[in-house]
Amino acid sequence: MKRIFVACGSGVATSQTVASKVQSMCEDENLDVSVEAVDFKSLENIIDQCDIYISIVSEKDNNWNVPTIKGIPFLTGIGMEEEFEKLKDLIKE
């Protein structure tokens, strides 16, 4: 099972919306994942516990050693299919 974190400022509204959408899309594809919404402040301490990170905030220089997917497309629907394809590829690795 791949563990996915979705982070926003508070870990409540935006990240929870994206996490729910991603979890549902993955279930529809029978992908074995756990998707968790977290707050951005906690991310530094827990990033090593996930396999894939979905970023809601704009990060120019991400120093995480974790594959990162853009989260905004899951919120707006614009570019969502492309990001989901990237996510599926990472899950299947």
Side-chain angles (χ1 to χ4, degrees):
M1 175 186 297
K2 296 282 183 166
R3 192 164 182 200
I4 301 170
F5 286 168
V6 182
C8 71
S10 66
V12 179
T14 307
S15 60
Q16 187 60 53
T17 300
V18 172
S20 293
K21 181 158 214 160
V22 169
Q23 183 73 51
S24 177
M25 292 172 77
C26 287
E27 286 173 2
D28 289 347
E29 297 275 334
N30 294 316
L31 299 170
D32 190 19
V33 300
S34 166
V35 185
E36 185 178 340
V38 300
D39 67 282
F40 192 74
K41 293 175 191 170
S42 303
L43 195 58
E44 187 174 334
N45 297 321
I46 62 172
I47 192 72
D48 61 336
Q49 299 172 28
C50 77
D51 299 298
I52 303 165
Y53 168 51
I54 299 179
S55 176
I56 302 296
V57 297
S58 175
E59 298 177 69
K60 300 238 189 295
D61 296 317
N62 175 340
N63 292 328
W64 315 122
N65 257 348
V66 174
T68 303
I69 298 292
K70 296 175 189 170
I72 297 298
F74 293 99
L75 213 54
T76 65
I78 300 169
M80 181 176 66
E81 289 302 321
E82 293 86 356
E83 288 304 304
F84 188 56
E85 288 300 318
K86 292 176 193 175
L87 180 61
K88 288 193 299 187
D89 289 343
L90 290 170
I91 291 168
K92 293 175 182 178
E93 285 183 353

